[in-house]
Amino acid sequence: MTIGIGSGTTVYWFIRGLGERVMQGLEIKAVPTSEQTATLAKESGIAISDLDETDKLVLTIDGADEIDADGNLVKGGGGALLQEKIVAAASEQLIIIADDSKLVKKLGRFPLPVEVIPFGYQQVQRKILESLPCKGVQLRKKDERAFVTDHDHYILDCEFQKIEDVAALNISLHLIPGVVETGLFPRMANKAIIGFEDGKVEVINYR
């Protein structure tokens, strides 16, 4: 089968484990959600496929920065939210792997990443602050320069603290010209596999 593979620290270990299975004879292809994931998958011996060349993704396995009780997610801490959402939307199932610190009652504690085009990004900052219940917006930086995504965009990290209506906020952000994508994944997760410090694993089914 062909599956989607997400990005991030937890997914790193999944890719390594999947690579070991491939070495043992497992036949599988992967659509990566970032250049970093693609590189790691190739190093692990996993065949890479392009989404446009794929008829169907049975499932995508990815991490998350926050997960609420309804399976709503905040993603994008690693900066790959655009491709992660495209791949997740093309999949029959989205399975999240994470540790228990990512479980929250309401999203918002983790700053919400919003991907924007570089042109006029400060106008987008102002619009978010003026029109939405946002406490602060910061341009993400790396090595004192603006962080640039795989698709040559910027990321604004938005302090909402508590998000009451995930779907409504996602729509409101998309209505601001210059916004490419948000790190909100409203009710997109089908299942979460949660690991705990004591070694316990819990599977949560959302839909």
Side-chain angles (χ1 to χ4, degrees):
M1 68 171 68
T2 301
I3 66 171
I5 298 182
S7 308
T9 53
T10 307
V11 175
Y12 168 88
W13 297 106
F14 168 72
I15 294 172
R16 289 302 192 198
L18 186 62
E20 292 177 4
R21 294 291 303 276
V22 169
M23 293 290 288
Q24 296 166 5
L26 177 68
E27 294 183 12
I28 198 166
K29 289 184 179 180
V31 174
T33 59
S34 67
E35 292 178 5
Q36 184 181 40
T37 295
T39 299
L40 182 60
K42 289 175 184 176
E43 290 173 352
S44 301
I46 302 168
I48 297 300
S49 181
D50 184 89
L51 187 59
D52 289 330
E53 299 172 354
T54 304
D55 292 331
K56 178 175 65 176
L57 288 176
V58 177
L59 57 89
T60 287
I61 297 176
D62 205 346
D65 298 302
E66 286 188 329
I67 313 166
D68 74 8
D70 294 320
N72 297 305
L73 312 172
V74 166
K75 291 177 50 56
L81 61 100
L82 175 58
Q83 212 160 302
E84 287 173 344
K85 189 175 278 190
I86 292 171
V87 172
S91 305
E92 292 182 3
Q93 287 195 71
L94 173 60
I95 299 174
I96 299 300
I97 53 176
D99 64 74
D100 64 306
S101 69
K102 307 300 174 64
L103 298 176
V104 297
K105 291 183 178 179
K106 284 188 180 292
L107 303 181
R109 180 182 63 194
F110 189 91
L112 175 66
V114 177
E115 190 160 340
V116 300
I117 65 170
F119 176 79
Y121 77 89
Q122 291 183 347
Q123 295 292 333
V124 179
Q125 279 182 305
R126 281 193 279 271
K127 286 289 186 182
I128 291 173
L129 287 169
E130 291 170 1
S131 62
L132 297 170
C134 183
K135 308 299 181 183
V137 181
Q138 296 292 327
L139 175 67
R140 186 178 297 184
K141 293 186 177 181
K142 182 179 181 181
D143 300 327
E144 303 302 319
R145 292 187 175 186
F147 174 86
V148 179
T149 71
D150 287 352
H151 297 278
D152 298 322
H153 298 141
Y154 288 170
I155 288 183
L156 301 177
D157 289 311
C158 306
E159 299 279 354
F160 284 98
Q161 298 179 357
K162 185 181 290 186
I163 299 173
E164 297 293 345
D165 191 326
V166 176
L169 178 59
N170 187 52
I171 291 170
S172 295
L173 286 165
H174 274 288
L175 291 174
I176 298 174
V179 170
V180 177
E181 190 52 86
T182 82
L184 289 171
F185 284 51
R187 296 181 64 82
M188 292 185 71
N190 297 89
K191 181 183 298 185
I193 301 173
I194 306 298
F196 294 81
E197 282 190 19
D198 61 2
K200 174 187 173 185
V201 175
E202 180 181 354
V203 178
I204 305 172
N205 292 296
Y206 297 111
R207 56 194 57 84

